Amino acid sequence: MLLSTRDLTKSFPGTIALDRVNFGLKAGEVHALLGENGAGKSTLIKCLTGAYRRDSGDILFEGKPIFPQSTLEAQAIGIGTVYQEVNLLPNLTVAENLTLGHQPTRFGMIRPRAMQALAQEMLAGYGLDIDVRRPLESYSVAVQQIVAIARAVHLSGRVLILDEPTASLDAREVQMLFDVVRDLRGRGLGIIFISHFLDQVFEISDSLTILRNGRHIATHPAADVDRMQLITLMLGRELEEETSVRYRPEVTGTSADAIRFTGVGRRGRIAPFDLTVRKGEVIGMAGLLGSGRTESAEVLFGAVPSDSGTVEDANGAVDLRNPRSAIAAGFAFAPEDRKTDGIIAELSVRENIILALQARQGWARPIPQAEQQRMADDYIARLDIRTPDAEKPVGLLSGGNQQKVILARWLATNPRFLILDEPTRGIDVGAHAEILRLIEDVVAQGMSILVISSELEELVAVSHRVIVVRDRRHVSELTGADVSPDTILRAIAAPHTTLEAMA
Amino acid sequence: MNIRALPLYATIAIFLLAYLICYMQFPAMLSTRVIGNLLTDNAYLGIVAVGMTVVIISGGIDLSVGSVIAFSGVFIAVLLRETGMHPLAAFALLLAITTLFGAAMGGMIHLLAMPPFIVTLAGMFLARGAGYMLTIDSVPIDHAFYETMQRAYYLMPGKGRLTLLGVTMLASVILGMILLHRTKFGTNVYAIGGGEATARLMGVAVGRTTVLIYAFSGFMAGLAGIVFSVYTSAGYPLATVGVELNAIAAVVIGGTLLTGGSGYMFGTLIGVLTMGLIQTYIVFDGTLSSWWTKIVIGALLLMFILLQKGLLRLRISH
């Protein structure tokens, strides 16, 4: 083993991030590290690279225990890391970035030609034909990524950790990067590869290690595992045989008054997709974290404006340049992380509820106090928000009640299309059921809803159809009897080739 | 073409254009006399701007330099009046003090993770106050060595005088160019200006470099103080109020990005000369109020800030 851990444990207040993890990396292999967010991948990497101090257990490099205290020490030992955001300096030249800290000098002065020659030499074998005298920022992210790899390999040279290196690359650039990775594997480096993109994982990896909730779940040769097994291991749930019975009212709208998204998308975030949202329809969106679910929602709401395609409804084109115009068009978006993107903890329940409506009206025309009070009381009763009164700061309510306040905020604007990103995350079972019931209520009144959720049962329970997102593209749409946890899971796991047959 | 060098080219173009306009109106301005005076009159500003360039490229700011120049003048004048010390010894002592003063500010900026603006603002009041503690009057310097220094010049063709002060400034700029563009320290300065966290991850000794940056600025401010005291033959605690802002303006007009990470030492020289040129033009004209200098400098600054914003957009978009 080139690099291995023995019973590596690391805990933070309240959680055990790594629980006696055993991991082994051989020289000359690409070893993928897999797991949902929070599984412990980053913590493991940070322990290996010295960014975190471990609580207990051993890290062995070529059989000898090591105790890296910083990324620089890890580098000196032989462990280099390249992150998703390129950790180089865009304002320096390529040559300066490659040689920073070990520039060739004479009498204390840098020798520019020798520095450029050294940089050229470091880049040799990476298939890059670039002018090392130009600033790094004048090259694409893929090239910068390869420059970062060249630096890391030059400085450490034994173990290379690639943390989500392909997240902002397009398909051609990914192949360019993979050629480099294969070449480095051939030179005998041990490479740890972390990615949300399962296709890429299967393409490049020799072995897979799956972590879940800080525990080592399994390590297999990549060839011995199929997608289905992998996802089952990552999510930690078995496929269910029976399909649960669902009740769904018929969609009331026709395609005539639907909102039609055609070819909308955003380069590097989500591939262009089509979506037709009919009145009174609930559309579910399933996929692994980081697969492009939230990115889709952001494009649909104009938070990250689409760079292609058109959006139309019965009245013609819909302007979605930014959230403001989306709200004006009758859209609403309750984002995933309510703590940072949703509630304003210091403001009262009433103020949080009227926020979006007031913003749409413009601050020059305040909603009368009595009207605010009436609306707040109305939603507190309708949504059963547990609060002593409407003036209590939202931050003091429980998670489920905070979520209801956000729902109330958007319902108050009476939107025609409501996007809910993980509406039930982190709330208790009772509130969970109430929110699902609420979705059914508002849909019956003709509102359209897009629900993004990791809870497959929840999607199945409320959705008329389910869109499956994988590797930043919409890969499949399930309707009618096909909407079941089982089929959704299969669609998440399916490789691209078998897609058409399934959908 | 390197997009980061564009502001430098713009600076040079503006300087040449401004000089051309001046020359067309007053042909006498293209004489070695005017050029010699331009260098001499702006020597202290040019020297302090060299230090400021390094500070600004690292993403920092040094507001203390104006006060340090005034302190230097007073310190030297009082020292020469009270003791029989040779001016050169006084200079050495002063440079040690201002360098340490700068290093201490750099150390605080790094260790306390304080914004350079605040720390050097405190330094500004401290140095000004220290000057007042030595004297509240203007103290004349009357020393034979001073006269020697003032008389030291090289007579250029056309009777222009390349004075010792002018040469000191040019030498400072060349020293600054070597330091910034040809040493590891210089690359580290750009690295910190480009992103301190990334620079640290890449192995730059951020703390040591920060201390050195402000120590260098302190040294340059001390040197500017010496030059200013030779230029005026006096030390006065109320002198050079706001010179730090002139230095910052010269650096920005010289094409350095105020947010750090980008700029050239040569641009700063051109920035200083551009500011001096405007002043010279106003002297030649004779009817204009000297406040026009400030107005033109303000307009130039605004133009360069807009230019850099535009370039930033260009960089992000491609």
Side-chain angles (χ1 to χ4, degrees):
Chain A
M1 282 294 161
L2 179 58
L3 179 70
S4 55
T5 70
R6 216 161 44 198
D7 292 335
L8 191 67
T9 301
K10 171 78 190 172
S11 55
F12 296 108
T15 53
I16 298 178
L18 288 179
D19 189 2
R20 299 188 305 277
V21 169
N22 293 302
F23 172 79
L25 174 72
K26 291 199 261 303
E29 75 164 353
V30 177
H31 197 134
L33 199 52
L34 297 159
E36 285 268 279
N37 282 8
K41 287 173 302 183
S42 341
T43 313
L44 176 57
I45 294 308
K46 285 185 170 154
C47 287
L48 290 177
T49 56
Y52 285 164
R53 214 74 55 81
R54 59 185 182 261
D55 294 346
S56 64
D58 295 314
I59 300 175
L60 305 171
F61 185 78
E62 295 184 314
K64 291 193 245 346
I66 56 166
F67 304 91
Q69 305 288 313
S70 70
T71 46
L72 288 179
E73 273 189 45
Q75 208 167 59
I77 292 167
I79 306 169
T81 316
V82 172
Y83 300 95
Q84 174 184 348
E85 331 77 61
V86 180
N87 262 306
L88 294 178
L89 293 155
N91 61 323
L92 299 188
T93 65
V94 174
E96 285 169 334
N97 267 297
L98 283 166
T99 59
L100 185 67
H102 52 102
Q103 299 100 322
T105 56
R106 182 185 292 148
F107 311 126
M109 306 242 287
I110 293 173
R111 295 153 55 209
R113 281 180 199 291
M115 177 175 81
Q116 285 151 21
L118 174 62
Q120 299 277 15
E121 188 190 314
M122 285 167 71
L123 282 181
Y126 289 93
L128 285 188
D129 183 25
I130 57 174
D131 184 352
V132 295
R133 291 169 303 178
R134 293 188 51 161
L136 185 74
E137 68 193 350
S138 50
Y139 295 103
S140 71
V141 179
V143 170
Q144 296 188 22
Q145 199 75 263
I146 290 172
V147 171
I149 290 175
R151 180 179 161 91
V153 168
H154 182 82
L155 292 178
S156 45
R158 305 301 307 277
V159 174
L160 181 63
I161 299 172
L162 300 173
D163 190 358
E164 293 276 0
T166 58
S168 43
L169 306 186
D170 65 26
R172 196 181 49 80
E173 292 172 328
V174 168
Q175 286 315 316
M176 196 166 126
L177 186 79
F178 280 4
D179 286 343
V180 167
V181 171
R182 286 192 194 98
D183 185 53
L184 292 174
R185 173 174 62 189
R187 289 202 231 162
L189 267 78
I191 296 164
I192 300 177
F193 180 74
I194 299 175
S195 176
H196 281 304
F197 301 103
L198 295 187
D199 289 343
Q200 295 177 4
V201 167
F202 277 106
E203 184 184 342
I204 195 78
S205 311
D206 303 305
S207 321
L208 311 170
T209 287
I210 296 115
L211 298 179
R212 191 171 71 232
N213 297 331
R215 290 218 175 80
H216 175 262
I217 300 299
T219 297
H220 294 293
D224 293 0
V225 189
D226 66 19
R227 244 159 240 281
M228 203 64 208
Q229 290 167 314
L230 181 61
I231 291 191
T232 310
L233 288 167
M234 280 169 67
L235 298 181
R237 65 194 294 290
E238 292 298 323
L239 290 181
E240 282 161 34
E241 293 304 317
E242 77 276 33
T243 311
S244 54
V245 183
R246 317 170 288 134
Y247 159 74
R248 270 192 304 274
E250 283 306 301
V251 177
T252 52
T254 61
S255 54
D257 55 4
I259 307 167
R260 290 183 301 278
F261 299 87
T262 315
V264 295
R266 176 85 175 190
R267 192 180 174 276
R269 293 178 70 85
I270 183 76
F273 58 90
D274 298 343
L275 183 67
T276 302
V277 183
R278 284 176 294 169
K279 245 181 130 163
E281 186 176 35
V282 181
I283 302 168
M285 192 171 276
L288 295 174
L289 281 171
S291 59
R293 302 180 314 188
T294 300
E295 288 77 1
S296 301
E298 284 170 351
V299 166
L300 292 176
F301 191 59
V304 179
S306 171
D307 56 9
S308 63
T310 56
V311 187
E312 287 176 322
D313 62 7
N315 302 323
V318 181
D319 175 13
L320 292 181
R321 272 170 311 173
N322 53 42
R324 210 181 148 84
S325 48
I327 291 170
F331 286 30
F333 178 34
E336 182 172 3
D337 191 342
R338 59 177 170 265
K339 285 262 155 45
T340 56
D341 298 338
I343 64 157
I344 300 168
E346 293 78 18
L347 293 188
S348 71
V349 173
R350 171 180 58 79
E351 287 164 323
N352 267 287
I353 288 178
I354 62 131
L355 194 64
L357 185 63
Q358 182 71 76
R360 194 177 67 181
Q361 281 201 0
W363 296 98
R365 291 191 295 137
I367 301 169
Q369 189 72 25
E371 174 71 8
Q372 291 187 17
Q373 197 64 52
R374 194 194 56 71
M375 276 172 47
D377 290 341
D378 180 33
Y379 279 106
I380 288 171
R382 264 176 66 192
L383 272 58
D384 193 20
I385 300 172
R386 311 269 162 74
T387 174
D389 61 71
E391 299 309 315
K392 192 160 169 124
V394 163
L396 301 178
L397 303 186
S398 72
N401 284 306
Q402 290 180 3
Q403 192 65 28
K404 288 184 194 167
V405 170
I406 294 181
L407 269 176
R409 175 194 296 169
W410 292 111
L411 291 175
T413 66
N414 197 21
R416 52 181 172 149
F417 181 38
L418 175 61
I419 302 166
L420 301 173
D421 196 354
E422 294 284 2
T424 58
R425 162 153 321 157
I427 65 177
D428 62 53
V429 182
H432 190 261
E434 279 169 30
I435 284 177
L436 294 190
R437 206 194 59 227
L438 190 76
I439 290 176
E440 283 172 7
D441 278 358
V442 295
V443 166
Q445 291 160 26
M447 199 181 286
S448 314
I449 295 188
L450 179 81
V451 181
I452 298 171
S453 179
S454 304
E455 310 265 339
L456 300 185
E457 280 79 7
E458 177 182 310
L459 283 179
V460 169
V462 298
S463 310
H464 293 101
R465 53 194 167 107
V466 171
I467 291 163
V468 177
V469 187
R470 179 161 38 88
D471 295 357
R472 306 275 160 125
R473 56 176 70 240
H474 291 199
V475 292
S476 155
E477 181 174 326
L478 307 170
T479 51
D482 281 343
V483 181
S484 73
D486 195 1
T487 51
I488 293 174
L489 206 53
R490 281 182 202 285
I492 292 175
H496 285 301
T497 43
T498 61
L499 250 180
E500 273 37 84
M502 274 207 46
Chain B
M1 189 173 60
N2 184 352
I3 210 165
R4 287 196 176 265
L6 271 183
L8 177 65
Y9 300 143
T11 301
I12 295 172
I14 285 170
F15 177 71
L16 292 179
L17 186 72
Y19 217 117
L20 185 70
I21 292 170
C22 291
Y23 169 69
M24 287 193 324
Q25 215 170 345
F26 308 107
M29 276 187 73
L30 192 67
S31 67
T32 52
R33 283 184 195 220
V34 171
I35 293 169
N37 285 347
L38 201 57
L39 292 175
T40 307
D41 295 342
N42 294 290
Y44 76 98
L45 182 63
I47 292 167
V48 84
V50 166
M52 189 67 82
T53 307
V54 174
V55 171
I56 290 181
I57 288 177
S58 81
I61 198 102
D62 189 347
L63 298 179
S64 71
V65 292
S67 302
V68 170
I69 293 174
F71 168 80
S72 305
V74 172
F75 180 82
I76 293 168
V78 171
L79 206 61
L80 294 184
R81 186 183 66 185
E82 304 293 330
T83 71
M85 198 182 258
H86 189 273
L88 281 177
F91 294 167
L93 188 60
L94 173 84
L95 287 176
I97 292 173
T98 60
T99 307
L100 280 177
F101 180 67
M105 287 193 299
M108 276 177 71
I109 289 166
H110 175 68
L111 290 178
L112 307 180
M114 295 264 283
F117 186 95
I118 301 296
V119 174
T120 60
L121 186 70
M124 174 178 113
F125 286 114
L126 198 67
R128 186 70 68 183
Y132 276 118
M133 264 172 49
L134 292 175
T135 179
I136 52 169
D137 304 314
S138 178
V139 181
I141 300 175
D142 188 20
H143 196 285
F145 187 68
Y146 260 65
E147 277 181 38
T148 317
M149 283 191 292
Q150 281 156 350
R151 293 224 184 97
Y153 59 82
Y154 165 75
L155 200 63
M156 292 182 286
K159 301 246 167 98
R161 290 175 179 183
L162 186 60
T163 60
L164 178 65
L165 304 186
V167 169
T168 308
M169 170 174 84
L170 292 178
S172 302
V173 172
I174 290 168
L175 172 76
M177 285 168 79
I178 292 171
L179 198 67
L180 198 54
H181 303 307
R182 280 284 183 276
T183 65
K184 288 189 176 189
F185 168 75
T187 312
N188 289 350
V189 169
Y190 280 94
I192 292 175
E196 196 186 312
T198 307
R200 184 174 289 121
L201 272 181
M202 288 175 77
V204 173
V206 173
R208 200 187 59 187
T209 308
T210 305
V211 170
L212 283 176
I213 288 166
Y214 288 89
F216 179 69
S217 179
F219 176 85
M220 280 300 169
L223 188 60
I226 293 169
V227 164
F228 191 73
S229 91
V230 173
Y231 183 61
T232 59
S233 290
Y236 183 44
L238 258 180
T240 61
V241 171
V243 160
E244 62 278 356
L245 302 181
N246 287 343
I248 294 168
V251 171
V252 173
I253 291 176
T256 295
L257 196 63
L258 204 44
T259 47
S262 176
Y264 296 89
M265 190 56 83
F266 184 69
T268 296
L269 174 65
I270 303 295
V272 170
L273 293 182
T274 305
M275 287 169 70
L277 189 68
I278 298 163
Q279 225 139 18
T280 310
Y281 176 86
I282 283 161
V283 171
F284 264 75
D285 184 272
T287 60
L288 289 173
S289 153
S290 70
W291 287 105
W292 278 100
T293 318
K294 307 260 178 204
I295 292 172
V296 175
I297 289 170
L300 275 180
L301 266 180
L302 187 66
M303 203 196 79
F304 269 89
I305 290 166
L306 292 178
L307 174 73
Q308 291 181 341
K309 264 283 177 241
L311 290 180
L312 204 67
R313 290 257 168 80
L314 213 65
R315 278 214 298 277
I316 286 166
S317 67
H318 91 176

